[in-house]
Amino acid sequence: MQQELSGSPCEGRLAIDGGTPVRMRPLPWELPGTHWMGQEERDLVDQVVAARSPFRYYGPDLQGMVDRFEREWCAAYGHRHAVGVSSGTAALSIALSALEVGAGDEVLLPGYFWVSCVAAVVRCGAIPRLVEIDETFCLDPDDLKAKIGPHSRAVISVHMSGAPGRIDEIAAISRRNGLGLIEDCAQAAGGYFKGQSVGSFGDIATFSFQLNKNMTSGEGGLLVTNDDALHRRIVALHDLGYPRSNGRLDTGDENCQLWGQGARMSDLTGALALGQFRKLPQITGAMRSAKWRIRESLQGIKGLDFRTVPDPAGDTGPFLITLYRNAETCERMVQALRAEGITGGPGSLACLAMREWGLHWYFNIPSLTEKRSNDRSGFPWSHSENAFAAEYDYRRGALPRTDALFDRSALLSIASCLTDADVDDIVRAFRKVSAAVLGKG
Ligand SMILES: Cc1ncc(COP(=O)(O)O)c(C=O)c1O
């Protein structure tokens, strides 16, 4: 590729300065699962519609799509239990309640996440405790150790942007300190860390199948656990607070009478999820291969660095994160790459500076920085059991190392259907723009 690309006619004046762009066509949409959606999903959904039985637990002619999806998922990734739910956000709330987290507890989580992570903590009455990320763009195990205190109860480790960070160390620290560990795998379905599937390091793991995820059913989520007792609670919590017997709610077990979230997965969603799940290795394989071809082709360019991925073979590949010497250089690189045609169509978020990545960063969430509440009492911030956290500050500056990474990093979405020509264009554009922008010091 190196040889083929050198001497490109596009080299020379940047498109942002009036030169010829590397490409004119927008990059394909970044939504990974959608490019692979086809007859298989249609057949499974049709089966549910033909049977007129879209509810998973009872109906005229159960098709068992959610059951099959859960079973096949467990067999593929080595989990003992899986429970399909309506979203990744609901899955996080259910996971925290399964671990009995509530007022008086602190949940440690990274400053780069998705708003759902911190929302789940606040809604269950606990206090979020922010932890720095490192250059893996996931929880920094050293800062995690430093932040553990008397109120710490659980950790949410979020496998951001397609790959886990130092999850083995995070799991060991959580275990040693008696903390529940939830792995949020919403952005890394189908990923591994040194041969072990994501979601198998902690007590419970959550997944999302919303449109932007490695596989999608439009909306949807999953919880996995190897613990029988936690599974029982998860089943009750995701439903109406009780287990079911022959499809009907069973209120008779005094050990399992809870408050449910009402977040069941329908069998229609299950059908779509099952079809997509069966393609997950191909989808992630395509993204991983394209992403690492780009990364490797750009190695050695001075001033262009990459996110650390501890286990590249386990990366699912939906994002390439690049790092620059400062915020201005990062901004200039992104603007120049877009002008070269490294961008999606209208509405796409294919090529961004991290400062455009909204509610993925703690200080961009007004409900957090302003300590908002859903009720008039100011719960959970006002709860007497949470008085220990009165001075916690969530505004920019709370995590200086995370803030610095935010300032100087950028994100390129790697579509799951990139052609060799698309990959070549991306490499050519990075080289052209780097030579002009980074070469200037
Ligand atoms: C890291 C992370 N956690 C949780 C969620 C929430 O998932 P959902 O949109 O299915 O509620 C998302 C995605 O939206 C996410 O990226």
Side-chain angles (χ1 to χ4, degrees), residues 408-434:
R408 63 187 189 92
S409 58
L411 189 92
L412 177 72
S413 294
I414 305 295
S416 62
C417 61
L418 288 184
T419 62
D420 287 347
D422 293 329
V423 169
D424 288 351
D425 283 347
I426 292 169
V427 171
R428 189 178 286 129
F430 262 100
R431 286 203 189 134
K432 179 181 173 187
V433 167
S434 299

PDB file of all heavy atoms in Angstrom, residues 408-434:
ATOM      1  N   ARG A 408      -6.776  17.045  23.040  1.00  0.00           N
ATOM      2  CA  ARG A 408      -5.850  16.828  21.915  1.00  0.00           C
ATOM      3  C   ARG A 408      -6.111  15.538  21.155  1.00  0.00           C
ATOM      4  O   ARG A 408      -5.241  15.039  20.468  1.00  0.00           O
ATOM      5  CB  ARG A 408      -4.400  16.897  22.418  1.00  0.00           C
ATOM      6  CG  ARG A 408      -4.016  15.833  23.424  1.00  0.00           C
ATOM      7  CD  ARG A 408      -2.626  16.097  23.981  1.00  0.00           C
ATOM      8  NE  ARG A 408      -2.180  14.955  24.777  1.00  0.00           N
ATOM      9  CZ  ARG A 408      -1.475  13.946  24.310  1.00  0.00           C
ATOM     10  NH1 ARG A 408      -1.125  13.904  23.043  1.00  0.00           N
ATOM     11  NH2 ARG A 408      -1.133  12.951  25.103  1.00  0.00           N
ATOM     12  N   SER A 409      -7.343  14.990  21.281  1.00  0.00           N
ATOM     13  CA  SER A 409      -7.614  13.737  20.572  1.00  0.00           C
ATOM     14  C   SER A 409      -8.792  13.885  19.610  1.00  0.00           C
ATOM     15  O   SER A 409      -9.636  14.768  19.762  1.00  0.00           O
ATOM     16  CB  SER A 409      -7.869  12.595  21.568  1.00  0.00           C
ATOM     17  OG  SER A 409      -8.940  12.910  22.401  1.00  0.00           O
ATOM     18  N   ALA A 410      -8.790  13.014  18.616  1.00  0.00           N
ATOM     19  CA  ALA A 410      -9.836  13.034  17.583  1.00  0.00           C
ATOM     20  C   ALA A 410     -10.272  11.606  17.286  1.00  0.00           C
ATOM     21  O   ALA A 410      -9.565  10.640  17.612  1.00  0.00           O
ATOM     22  CB  ALA A 410      -9.303  13.688  16.317  1.00  0.00           C
ATOM     23  N   LEU A 411     -11.433  11.520  16.674  1.00  0.00           N
ATOM     24  CA  LEU A 411     -12.059  10.215  16.487  1.00  0.00           C
ATOM     25  C   LEU A 411     -12.484  10.062  15.033  1.00  0.00           C
ATOM     26  O   LEU A 411     -13.140  10.946  14.489  1.00  0.00           O
ATOM     27  CB  LEU A 411     -13.293  10.209  17.383  1.00  0.00           C
ATOM     28  CG  LEU A 411     -14.070   8.946  17.592  1.00  0.00           C
ATOM     29  CD1 LEU A 411     -13.523   8.239  18.835  1.00  0.00           C
ATOM     30  CD2 LEU A 411     -15.522   9.284  17.847  1.00  0.00           C
ATOM     31  N   LEU A 412     -12.104   8.942  14.439  1.00  0.00           N
ATOM     32  CA  LEU A 412     -12.584   8.649  13.085  1.00  0.00           C
ATOM     33  C   LEU A 412     -13.395   7.361  13.161  1.00  0.00           C
ATOM     34  O   LEU A 412     -12.890   6.328  13.628  1.00  0.00           O
ATOM     35  CB  LEU A 412     -11.405   8.467  12.126  1.00  0.00           C
ATOM     36  CG  LEU A 412     -11.810   8.096  10.698  1.00  0.00           C
ATOM     37  CD1 LEU A 412     -12.451   9.273   9.974  1.00  0.00           C
ATOM     38  CD2 LEU A 412     -10.608   7.582   9.900  1.00  0.00           C
ATOM     39  N   SER A 413     -14.649   7.406  12.717  1.00  0.00           N
ATOM     40  CA  SER A 413     -15.462   6.186  12.691  1.00  0.00           C
ATOM     41  C   SER A 413     -14.995   5.310  11.546  1.00  0.00           C
ATOM     42  O   SER A 413     -14.720   5.800  10.455  1.00  0.00           O
ATOM     43  CB  SER A 413     -16.935   6.528  12.477  1.00  0.00           C
ATOM     44  OG  SER A 413     -17.410   7.231  13.578  1.00  0.00           O
ATOM     45  N   ILE A 414     -14.945   4.017  11.823  1.00  0.00           N
ATOM     46  CA  ILE A 414     -14.537   3.053  10.797  1.00  0.00           C
ATOM     47  C   ILE A 414     -15.791   2.267  10.412  1.00  0.00           C
ATOM     48  O   ILE A 414     -16.262   1.423  11.185  1.00  0.00           O
ATOM     49  CB  ILE A 414     -13.456   2.090  11.354  1.00  0.00           C
ATOM     50  CG1 ILE A 414     -12.249   2.879  11.921  1.00  0.00           C
ATOM     51  CG2 ILE A 414     -13.026   1.093  10.286  1.00  0.00           C
ATOM     52  CD1 ILE A 414     -11.478   3.677  10.885  1.00  0.00           C
ATOM     53  N   ALA A 415     -16.345   2.560   9.255  1.00  0.00           N
ATOM     54  CA  ALA A 415     -17.572   1.864   8.848  1.00  0.00           C
ATOM     55  C   ALA A 415     -17.261   0.384   8.631  1.00  0.00           C
ATOM     56  O   ALA A 415     -16.124   0.015   8.317  1.00  0.00           O
ATOM     57  CB  ALA A 415     -18.114   2.490   7.570  1.00  0.00           C
ATOM     58  N   SER A 416     -18.298  -0.437   8.792  1.00  0.00           N
ATOM     59  CA  SER A 416     -18.082  -1.892   8.681  1.00  0.00           C
ATOM     60  C   SER A 416     -18.087  -2.356   7.223  1.00  0.00           C
ATOM     61  O   SER A 416     -17.992  -3.549   6.960  1.00  0.00           O
ATOM     62  CB  SER A 416     -19.169  -2.629   9.463  1.00  0.00           C
ATOM     63  OG  SER A 416     -20.430  -2.346   8.901  1.00  0.00           O
ATOM     64  N   CYS A 417     -18.207  -1.411   6.288  1.00  0.00           N
ATOM     65  CA  CYS A 417     -18.249  -1.783   4.868  1.00  0.00           C
ATOM     66  C   CYS A 417     -17.227  -0.993   4.057  1.00  0.00           C
ATOM     67  O   CYS A 417     -17.436  -0.765   2.862  1.00  0.00           O
ATOM     68  CB  CYS A 417     -19.658  -1.557   4.318  1.00  0.00           C
ATOM     69  SG  CYS A 417     -20.143   0.171   4.442  1.00  0.00           S
ATOM     70  N   LEU A 418     -16.147  -0.549   4.700  1.00  0.00           N
ATOM     71  CA  LEU A 418     -15.136   0.218   3.955  1.00  0.00           C
ATOM     72  C   LEU A 418     -14.507  -0.671   2.889  1.00  0.00           C
ATOM     73  O   LEU A 418     -14.153  -1.830   3.149  1.00  0.00           O
ATOM     74  CB  LEU A 418     -14.028   0.714   4.895  1.00  0.00           C
ATOM     75  CG  LEU A 418     -14.352   1.842   5.874  1.00  0.00           C
ATOM     76  CD1 LEU A 418     -13.098   2.259   6.637  1.00  0.00           C
ATOM     77  CD2 LEU A 418     -14.971   3.048   5.172  1.00  0.00           C
ATOM     78  N   THR A 419     -14.331  -0.128   1.698  1.00  0.00           N
ATOM     79  CA  THR A 419     -13.631  -0.866   0.636  1.00  0.00           C
ATOM     80  C   THR A 419     -12.131  -0.590   0.772  1.00  0.00           C
ATOM     81  O   THR A 419     -11.717   0.332   1.497  1.00  0.00           O
ATOM     82  CB  THR A 419     -14.088  -0.375  -0.747  1.00  0.00           C
ATOM     83  OG1 THR A 419     -13.728   1.013  -0.845  1.00  0.00           O
ATOM     84  CG2 THR A 419     -15.582  -0.528  -0.935  1.00  0.00           C
ATOM     85  N   ASP A 420     -11.342  -1.346   0.027  1.00  0.00           N
ATOM     86  CA  ASP A 420      -9.898  -1.072   0.017  1.00  0.00           C
ATOM     87  C   ASP A 420      -9.641   0.355  -0.457  1.00  0.00           C
ATOM     88  O   ASP A 420      -8.746   1.039   0.043  1.00  0.00           O
ATOM     89  CB  ASP A 420      -9.165  -2.061  -0.905  1.00  0.00           C
ATOM     90  CG  ASP A 420      -9.094  -3.450  -0.281  1.00  0.00           C
ATOM     91  OD1 ASP A 420      -9.385  -3.569   0.934  1.00  0.00           O
ATOM     92  OD2 ASP A 420      -8.765  -4.408  -1.006  1.00  0.00           O
ATOM     93  N   ALA A 421     -10.456   0.797  -1.419  1.00  0.00           N
ATOM     94  CA  ALA A 421     -10.272   2.167  -1.943  1.00  0.00           C
ATOM     95  C   ALA A 421     -10.579   3.203  -0.855  1.00  0.00           C
ATOM     96  O   ALA A 421      -9.881   4.217  -0.741  1.00  0.00           O
ATOM     97  CB  ALA A 421     -11.172   2.383  -3.159  1.00  0.00           C
ATOM     98  N   ASP A 422     -11.599   2.951  -0.039  1.00  0.00           N
ATOM     99  CA  ASP A 422     -11.903   3.873   1.074  1.00  0.00           C
ATOM    100  C   ASP A 422     -10.720   3.926   2.041  1.00  0.00           C
ATOM    101  O   ASP A 422     -10.315   5.008   2.490  1.00  0.00           O
ATOM    102  CB  ASP A 422     -13.149   3.405   1.849  1.00  0.00           C
ATOM    103  CG  ASP A 422     -14.440   3.487   1.037  1.00  0.00           C
ATOM    104  OD1 ASP A 422     -14.541   4.367   0.171  1.00  0.00           O
ATOM    105  OD2 ASP A 422     -15.336   2.645   1.294  1.00  0.00           O
ATOM    106  N   VAL A 423     -10.206   2.747   2.374  1.00  0.00           N
ATOM    107  CA  VAL A 423      -9.072   2.683   3.310  1.00  0.00           C
ATOM    108  C   VAL A 423      -7.883   3.445   2.728  1.00  0.00           C
ATOM    109  O   VAL A 423      -7.237   4.246   3.413  1.00  0.00           O
ATOM    110  CB  VAL A 423      -8.703   1.204   3.617  1.00  0.00           C
ATOM    111  CG1 VAL A 423      -7.374   1.103   4.350  1.00  0.00           C
ATOM    112  CG2 VAL A 423      -9.813   0.540   4.432  1.00  0.00           C
ATOM    113  N   ASP A 424      -7.618   3.239   1.465  1.00  0.00           N
ATOM    114  CA  ASP A 424      -6.494   3.945   0.813  1.00  0.00           C
ATOM    115  C   ASP A 424      -6.701   5.460   0.864  1.00  0.00           C
ATOM    116  O   ASP A 424      -5.764   6.216   1.112  1.00  0.00           O
ATOM    117  CB  ASP A 424      -6.364   3.516  -0.658  1.00  0.00           C
ATOM    118  CG  ASP A 424      -5.829   2.100  -0.786  1.00  0.00           C
ATOM    119  OD1 ASP A 424      -5.401   1.538   0.238  1.00  0.00           O
ATOM    120  OD2 ASP A 424      -5.841   1.569  -1.917  1.00  0.00           O
ATOM    121  N   ASP A 425      -7.933   5.900   0.621  1.00  0.00           N
ATOM    122  CA  ASP A 425      -8.212   7.344   0.661  1.00  0.00           C
ATOM    123  C   ASP A 425      -7.956   7.908   2.063  1.00  0.00           C
ATOM    124  O   ASP A 425      -7.412   9.012   2.209  1.00  0.00           O
ATOM    125  CB  ASP A 425      -9.683   7.620   0.291  1.00  0.00           C
ATOM    126  CG  ASP A 425      -9.933   7.509  -1.204  1.00  0.00           C
ATOM    127  OD1 ASP A 425      -8.953   7.469  -1.979  1.00  0.00           O
ATOM    128  OD2 ASP A 425     -11.122   7.461  -1.588  1.00  0.00           O
ATOM    129  N   ILE A 426      -8.371   7.155   3.067  1.00  0.00           N
ATOM    130  CA  ILE A 426      -8.184   7.636   4.447  1.00  0.00           C
ATOM    131  C   ILE A 426      -6.685   7.766   4.737  1.00  0.00           C
ATOM    132  O   ILE A 426      -6.223   8.785   5.271  1.00  0.00           O
ATOM    133  CB  ILE A 426      -8.885   6.686   5.455  1.00  0.00           C
ATOM    134  CG1 ILE A 426     -10.405   6.783   5.287  1.00  0.00           C
ATOM    135  CG2 ILE A 426      -8.474   7.013   6.889  1.00  0.00           C
ATOM    136  CD1 ILE A 426     -11.206   5.715   6.036  1.00  0.00           C
ATOM    137  N   VAL A 427      -5.928   6.763   4.349  1.00  0.00           N
ATOM    138  CA  VAL A 427      -4.477   6.793   4.594  1.00  0.00           C
ATOM    139  C   VAL A 427      -3.847   7.960   3.825  1.00  0.00           C
ATOM    140  O   VAL A 427      -3.044   8.734   4.369  1.00  0.00           O
ATOM    141  CB  VAL A 427      -3.836   5.454   4.179  1.00  0.00           C
ATOM    142  CG1 VAL A 427      -2.316   5.539   4.217  1.00  0.00           C
ATOM    143  CG2 VAL A 427      -4.338   4.329   5.075  1.00  0.00           C
ATOM    144  N   ARG A 428      -4.258   8.095   2.581  1.00  0.00           N
ATOM    145  CA  ARG A 428      -3.681   9.160   1.741  1.00  0.00           C
ATOM    146  C   ARG A 428      -3.994  10.533   2.347  1.00  0.00           C
ATOM    147  O   ARG A 428      -3.119  11.407   2.417  1.00  0.00           O
ATOM    148  CB  ARG A 428      -4.281   9.044   0.328  1.00  0.00           C
ATOM    149  CG  ARG A 428      -3.619   9.937  -0.689  1.00  0.00           C
ATOM    150  CD  ARG A 428      -4.233   9.734  -2.065  1.00  0.00           C
ATOM    151  NE  ARG A 428      -3.810   8.483  -2.669  1.00  0.00           N
ATOM    152  CZ  ARG A 428      -4.640   7.567  -3.180  1.00  0.00           C
ATOM    153  NH1 ARG A 428      -5.940   7.747  -3.150  1.00  0.00           N
ATOM    154  NH2 ARG A 428      -4.170   6.470  -3.726  1.00  0.00           N
ATOM    155  N   ALA A 429      -5.222  10.701   2.818  1.00  0.00           N
ATOM    156  CA  ALA A 429      -5.611  11.999   3.388  1.00  0.00           C
ATOM    157  C   ALA A 429      -4.832  12.282   4.675  1.00  0.00           C
ATOM    158  O   ALA A 429      -4.346  13.401   4.882  1.00  0.00           O
ATOM    159  CB  ALA A 429      -7.112  12.013   3.654  1.00  0.00           C
ATOM    160  N   PHE A 430      -4.696  11.276   5.539  1.00  0.00           N
ATOM    161  CA  PHE A 430      -3.935  11.483   6.780  1.00  0.00           C
ATOM    162  C   PHE A 430      -2.491  11.872   6.454  1.00  0.00           C
ATOM    163  O   PHE A 430      -1.923  12.768   7.081  1.00  0.00           O
ATOM    164  CB  PHE A 430      -3.938  10.207   7.634  1.00  0.00           C
ATOM    165  CG  PHE A 430      -4.969  10.224   8.728  1.00  0.00           C
ATOM    166  CD1 PHE A 430      -6.173   9.554   8.576  1.00  0.00           C
ATOM    167  CD2 PHE A 430      -4.738  10.901   9.925  1.00  0.00           C
ATOM    168  CE1 PHE A 430      -7.130   9.553   9.581  1.00  0.00           C
ATOM    169  CE2 PHE A 430      -5.686  10.913  10.944  1.00  0.00           C
ATOM    170  CZ  PHE A 430      -6.892  10.236  10.764  1.00  0.00           C
ATOM    171  N   ARG A 431      -1.909  11.186   5.476  1.00  0.00           N
ATOM    172  CA  ARG A 431      -0.502  11.494   5.141  1.00  0.00           C
ATOM    173  C   ARG A 431      -0.372  12.914   4.601  1.00  0.00           C
ATOM    174  O   ARG A 431       0.528  13.661   4.959  1.00  0.00           O
ATOM    175  CB  ARG A 431       0.005  10.508   4.093  1.00  0.00           C
ATOM    176  CG  ARG A 431       0.253   9.139   4.675  1.00  0.00           C
ATOM    177  CD  ARG A 431       1.250   8.399   3.797  1.00  0.00           C
ATOM    178  NE  ARG A 431       1.359   7.023   4.210  1.00  0.00           N
ATOM    179  CZ  ARG A 431       1.347   5.994   3.387  1.00  0.00           C
ATOM    180  NH1 ARG A 431       1.217   6.180   2.097  1.00  0.00           N
ATOM    181  NH2 ARG A 431       1.479   4.778   3.855  1.00  0.00           N
ATOM    182  N   LYS A 432      -1.295  13.256   3.712  1.00  0.00           N
ATOM    183  CA  LYS A 432      -1.238  14.586   3.091  1.00  0.00           C
ATOM    184  C   LYS A 432      -1.394  15.687   4.156  1.00  0.00           C
ATOM    185  O   LYS A 432      -0.597  16.629   4.223  1.00  0.00           O
ATOM    186  CB  LYS A 432      -2.364  14.685   2.037  1.00  0.00           C
ATOM    187  CG  LYS A 432      -2.459  16.010   1.331  1.00  0.00           C
ATOM    188  CD  LYS A 432      -3.637  16.001   0.331  1.00  0.00           C
ATOM    189  CE  LYS A 432      -3.851  17.384  -0.270  1.00  0.00           C
ATOM    190  NZ  LYS A 432      -5.062  17.449  -1.093  1.00  0.00           N
ATOM    191  N   VAL A 433      -2.419  15.495   5.006  1.00  0.00           N
ATOM    192  CA  VAL A 433      -2.721  16.523   6.006  1.00  0.00           C
ATOM    193  C   VAL A 433      -1.621  16.565   7.073  1.00  0.00           C
ATOM    194  O   VAL A 433      -1.200  17.650   7.513  1.00  0.00           O
ATOM    195  CB  VAL A 433      -4.118  16.244   6.611  1.00  0.00           C
ATOM    196  CG1 VAL A 433      -4.350  17.057   7.851  1.00  0.00           C
ATOM    197  CG2 VAL A 433      -5.203  16.509   5.575  1.00  0.00           C
ATOM    198  N   SER A 434      -1.134  15.400   7.465  1.00  0.00           N
ATOM    199  CA  SER A 434      -0.070  15.363   8.485  1.00  0.00           C
ATOM    200  C   SER A 434       1.166  16.093   7.987  1.00  0.00           C
ATOM    201  O   SER A 434       1.804  16.841   8.738  1.00  0.00           O
ATOM    202  CB  SER A 434       0.323  13.918   8.823  1.00  0.00           C
ATOM    203  OG  SER A 434      -0.775  13.232   9.341  1.00  0.00           O
TER     204      SER A 434
END
